[in-house]
Amino acid sequence: AQSVTQPDIHITVSEGASLELRCNYSYGATPYLFWYVQSPGQGLQLLLKYFSGDTLVQGIKGFEAEFKRSQSSFNLRKPSVHWSDAAEYFCAVGASDSWGKLQFGAGTQVVVTP
Amino acid sequence: DGGITQSPKYLFRKEGQNVTLSCEQNLNHDAMYWYRQDPGQGLRLIYYSQIVNDFQKGDIAEGYSVSREKKESFPLTVTSAQKNPTAFYLCASSPRPSTEAFFGQGTRLTVV
């Protein structure tokens, strides 16, 4: 069975500092991996996705993520955060036949301080 | 603009009443999904449908029902059998296998 772990429930970062959000997954075959962002009371917006190929993927809003098969990880990074990056971030894993049926992590709440 | 529309945004119901949440998409996507979101638990799949007139249970289907009579629509009914229905409900769709899900803006249901 698929599972996703986001070890950090809450992260506080200063504006302009770098950000890294951790995601570990459990899946037997090559997973399809996603990062979504959610502002309060809103739906989820896709930041980036990994299906195959280059293990470093670029997304929207200056985010990137690196797939490391040996560590079963798909960590999200941003070199310099903006106040607008304050939100909740979800890592998700899907299978090749999952039709978008995803397993989500519990989320990481990011707070950005001045 | 193409997208997924959930209505209403906020819904209040008395305990013991059934309530139906609407989800409409104009993206021409084949698959649609309902997720439930609770604080600290991420999203959990309730039901999904890959084609009209067919749907499958997800991880937490008990107390919920759905229908898929049209490709564009996938309403969710929260029945009185659902023990703890207060939550944020998210509808999503995807165009084909192995692709990302696109989400609506959600409906916050509060049962009093």
Side-chain angles (χ1 to χ4, degrees):
Chain A
Q2 307 164 28
S3 69
V4 179
T5 301
Q6 293 181 247
D8 304 305
I9 297 172
H10 187 275
I11 285 181
T12 299
V13 59
S14 300
E15 191 168 14
S18 64
L19 175 67
E20 181 168 12
L21 304 182
R22 296 182 290 165
C23 173
N24 295 99
Y25 67 89
S26 173
Y27 185 64
T30 299
Y32 289 59
L33 294 160
F34 308 87
W35 275 100
Y36 285 88
V37 62
Q38 184 182 37
S39 297
Q42 300 297 313
L44 274 67
Q45 181 183 22
L46 181 69
L47 286 176
L48 47 78
K49 60 188 178 186
Y50 172 78
F51 287 171
S52 63
D54 193 347
T55 57
L56 185 64
V57 294
Q58 302 297 321
I60 62 172
K61 304 185 180 186
F63 285 93
E64 67 177 25
E66 186 172 12
F67 171 59
K68 292 186 177 180
R69 184 189 302 275
S70 62
Q71 298 178 20
S72 298
S73 69
F74 189 56
N75 294 349
L76 181 72
R77 298 192 293 256
K78 186 169 184 177
S80 177
V81 299
H82 187 262
W83 64 266
S84 61
D85 293 322
E88 190 156 21
Y89 293 78
F90 292 93
C91 181
V93 62
S96 61
D97 60 347
S98 65
W99 280 76
K101 184 161 62 80
L102 303 176
Q103 189 76 33
F104 283 84
T108 298
Q109 185 71 46
V110 173
V111 173
V112 180
T113 60
Chain B
D1 287 339
I4 301 173
T5 301
Q6 291 188 241
S7 61
K9 188 169 178 66
Y10 299 96
L11 191 54
F12 295 87
R13 279 296 181 268
K14 291 183 178 180
E15 193 171 337
Q17 291 182 334
N18 291 356
V19 60
T20 298
L21 283 61
S22 171
C23 178
E24 302 278 334
Q25 56 102 356
N26 59 6
L27 300 168
N28 199 34
H29 287 176
D30 289 317
M32 297 186 74
Y33 314 82
W34 275 105
Y35 287 91
R36 169 179 172 143
Q37 184 177 20
D38 296 283
Q41 295 192 48
L43 280 71
R44 293 178 291 169
L45 184 65
I46 304 172
Y47 268 98
Y48 65 102
S49 168
Q50 297 175 353
I51 195 170
V52 174
N53 292 323
D54 187 48
F55 49 83
Q56 287 78 40
K57 294 181 179 180
D59 300 322
I60 56 165
E62 184 175 352
Y64 299 98
S65 65
V66 295
S67 63
R68 187 86 186 276
E69 297 176 1
K70 299 186 299 181
K71 187 175 185 177
E72 307 79 33
S73 178
F74 191 42
L76 173 74
T77 296
V78 184
T79 74
S80 57
Q82 168 51 232
K83 300 301 183 188
N84 185 20
T86 295
F88 191 53
Y89 291 88
L90 287 157
C91 178
S93 69
S94 63
R96 55 193 176 277
S98 310
T99 59
E100 67 269 28
F102 295 81
F103 284 83
Q105 293 300 297
T107 292
R108 184 165 299 280
L109 172 64
T110 302
V111 175
V112 296

